[in-house]
Amino acid sequence: MDILKQIHDLQLPPLLPLPLWPTPIALVTFILFLWSFGPALKTEVRFAFLVWLRLTWAALLIPAVTGVILAVGGLRVPSATDAGGGLSKYGFRVDPQRDLEHLMYVAFALVSLYVIEMLIKGRLVEHRVGLKFLPVVTLFLYGCAYMIGRVATFPGNGV
């Protein structure tokens, strides 16, 4: 279980004063967001973008699968777990609602990745039109990935 927790709880050290990418998932999706402007402007998807999209799937699915295994084992996100004295392991007040919110953002991220795949393949709308929406969907994906880490760490309005 400790190995699964280490895989699932991986965080990046702050590289900038603003924590734009606190987790590897947020970093990978932020790069995908920046990269999505190329296919949107050129209305064609190159092989390198598809490779990065597959890496994004892997970067999201590995922690998702380990998180499901940990949840089945009875664990919850740190912001919803009492480490003693009513505080989480990060020193904030415990907020039990954050556990479901964490799962919600993971579901939104998975749906966003699926929508990106459908836009690239031209199954939702015509291919060239769909690629124009790629930056919007990848920005939403980045927001979900950012919130996955934020919700796991900080309490919300429920405290």
Side-chain angles (χ1 to χ4, degrees), residues 3 5 27 40 47 52 59 66 71 74 77 84-85 92 96 107-108 135 138 155:
I3 293 173
K5 285 175 76 173
L27 177 62
F47 180 72
W52 193 260
T66 58
V77 296
F92 299 109
F108 282 160
T138 55

Side-chain angles (χ1 to χ4, degrees), residues 60-114:
L60 185 65
L61 286 177
I62 291 170
V65 169
T66 58
V68 167
I69 294 169
L70 292 171
V72 168
L75 296 178
R76 299 176 354 175
V77 296
S79 62
T81 305
D82 190 355
L87 299 177
S88 70
K89 80 175 190 178
Y90 297 110
F92 299 109
R93 291 178 44 202
V94 175
D95 188 3
Q97 297 174 347
R98 295 302 246 185
D99 200 44
L100 290 175
E101 199 173 342
H102 185 71
L103 294 173
M104 176 191 71
Y105 283 117
V106 171
F108 282 160
L110 288 171
V111 169
S112 298
L113 279 172
Y114 180 74

Side-chain angles (χ1 to χ4, degrees), residues 35 44-54:
W35 204 337
E44 76 173 287
V45 178
R46 300 197 182 203
F47 180 72
F49 182 80
L50 292 175
V51 169
W52 193 260
L53 181 60
R54 299 308 177 263

Side-chain angles (χ1 to χ4, degrees), residues 23-36:
T23 62
I25 300 168
L27 177 62
V28 169
T29 57
F30 185 75
I31 293 170
L32 186 72
F33 165 65
L34 294 177
W35 204 337
S36 70

Side-chain angles (χ1 to χ4, degrees), residues 1-11 62-63 66-67 69-71 73 75 89:
M1 279 299 223
D2 289 337
I3 293 173
L4 291 178
K5 285 175 76 173
Q6 287 179 349
I7 292 171
H8 187 75
D9 295 344
L10 187 62
Q11 293 183 352
I62 291 170
T66 58
I69 294 169
L70 292 171
L75 296 178
K89 80 175 190 178

